[in-house]
Amino acid sequence: MPRSFLVKKYFTTKKPNYSELESQTDPFSAVVPERYPLAELPTGENGSSDACYPAGLVWNVGILPALYTPVSPSTTSAPGPLDLSSQSSTSSSSSSEEDEGRTSDPPSPEPADCFQCTRCRKSYSGPAALSRHQLTCAGGGDPQRACSSPAGRSSAFRCKHCPKEYNSLGALKMHIRSHTLPCVCTTCGKAFSRPWLLRGHIRTHTGERPFSCPHCSRAFADRSNLRAHLQTHSEVKKYQCGACSRTFSRMSLLHKHTLTGCAST
DNA sequence: CTGGGGATGGGGCCC
DNA sequence: AGGGCCCCATCCCCA
């Protein structure tokens, strides 16, 4: 089943009031227990502006139901592309090739994306999209691949915690959050790089499950998990074994299938 | 062993 | 320019 049921815009209303979550200089020292090791905290310019969660603030989950509406999938069931054999299982930073398989939207046989990044070779449909991409393009985020073009290589912004380099301060700041983990759960002290990650985590405490399956009674706290679940309702699943044509709801299952020995191989 | 759910991380894009 | 969201990917665990 294609994920044409995945309507892109579920949220028509605006988000939680993040002004509540303003600057806390060091949320970790008092809140985070030892069992949640944190990356080394940067001082000054990098750390302070990244804090998003004031000590003592507990998310008002009461506002969430109004913000998250259940998925209302379309009922289209045209079989989608299943050949995902080129997907990598190990790389979390998608390469340009992998990026083309990231979505199960029907592939355009002749991509209209004729604006190509000279660094990472990703294609975009318009100059604006390309321009936006190039603000943060570091060759896919992989330092090994970053801006290999001699002319294009600027690497003006380098993370001081790891080898990653970025071409914009904004991209670097976002990356640094993965080191500083400024968003701290006041319930358990676990820290996250982004507010929405924390929000999802807090649902594990509250039990809130705003994403309901339209085919059964199950509900999920996370949209991605609902999406994975919806695969289980589909007869033809997204990931197909190239050898035996058997389909799987998850790539990990397909991987297991191939590794443990597909009967057709 | 397989399939599925829970939880989480990160890049890209939209506003 | 930056915040926030979307989507994908992956790991872990359990039935």
Side-chain angles (χ1 to χ4, degrees):
Chain A
M1 171 191 247
R3 286 176 304 167
S4 53
F5 56 81
L6 295 176
V7 182
K8 278 209 169 188
K9 294 296 178 185
Y10 302 97
F11 304 90
T12 54
T13 58
K14 269 307 177 181
K15 308 114 192 182
N17 181 6
Y18 292 114
S19 62
E20 294 179 350
L21 306 179
E22 283 308 312
S23 59
Q24 177 195 0
T25 50
D26 184 350
F28 308 102
S29 54
V31 186
V32 180
E34 293 177 6
R35 62 197 190 95
Y36 299 110
L38 296 174
E40 175 192 358
L41 292 175
T43 56
E45 73 279 5
N46 286 330
S48 59
S49 65
D50 285 328
C52 67
Y53 207 78
L57 172 63
V58 178
W59 271 84
N60 179 1
V61 297
I63 67 174
L64 291 174
L67 299 168
Y68 297 90
T69 53
V71 179
S72 56
S74 74
T75 54
T76 58
S77 59
L82 291 169
D83 182 10
L84 299 172
S85 55
S86 65
Q87 294 202 28
S88 163
S89 66
T90 54
S91 171
S92 62
S93 60
S94 51
S95 69
S96 57
E97 307 81 52
E98 289 164 340
D99 197 55
E100 304 210 349
R102 278 182 60 176
T103 171
S104 62
D105 289 344
S108 9
E110 296 165 328
D113 303 340
C114 49
F115 296 88
Q116 190 178 55
C117 176
T118 56
R119 298 188 193 117
C120 69
R121 301 191 178 280
K122 285 186 180 177
S123 296
Y124 292 85
S125 56
L130 173 60
S131 172
R132 245 193 328 264
H133 159 77
Q134 287 180 327
L135 289 175
T136 58
C137 175
D142 184 341
Q144 301 300 319
R145 301 174 58 244
C147 304
S148 54
S149 151
R153 174 128 194 168
S154 62
S155 61
F157 301 96
R158 178 174 299 177
C159 178
K160 60 183 178 183
H161 306 288
C162 75
K164 290 201 172 182
E165 300 171 354
Y166 296 87
N167 291 317
S168 76
L169 182 59
L172 175 61
K173 276 185 173 180
M174 189 179 73
H175 164 74
I176 286 177
R177 296 179 74 113
S178 66
H179 293 296
T180 61
L181 303 177
C183 306
V184 183
C185 175
T186 53
T187 302
C188 69
K190 194 164 186 183
F192 299 86
S193 59
R194 306 187 200 181
W196 59 266
L197 277 172
L198 173 60
R199 240 172 289 146
H201 165 76
I202 287 176
R203 292 197 198 108
T204 68
H205 294 306
T206 64
E208 184 198 11
R209 292 165 177 255
F211 303 100
S212 303
C213 175
H215 305 297
C216 68
S217 59
R218 293 197 71 102
F220 300 85
D222 182 87
R223 195 194 311 275
S224 292
N225 290 338
L226 169 61
R227 190 177 297 118
H229 165 78
L230 287 171
Q231 284 281 309
T232 69
H233 289 298
S234 172
E235 287 191 12
V236 180
K237 301 183 172 61
K238 181 182 175 183
Y239 303 99
Q240 184 179 42
C241 173
C244 70
S245 298
R246 187 177 172 186
T247 60
F248 299 86
S249 59
R250 298 178 179 215
M251 197 198 322
S252 58
L253 297 176
L254 171 59
H255 256 241
K256 282 183 188 175
H257 168 75
T258 54
L259 290 177
T260 58
C262 170
S264 301
T265 57

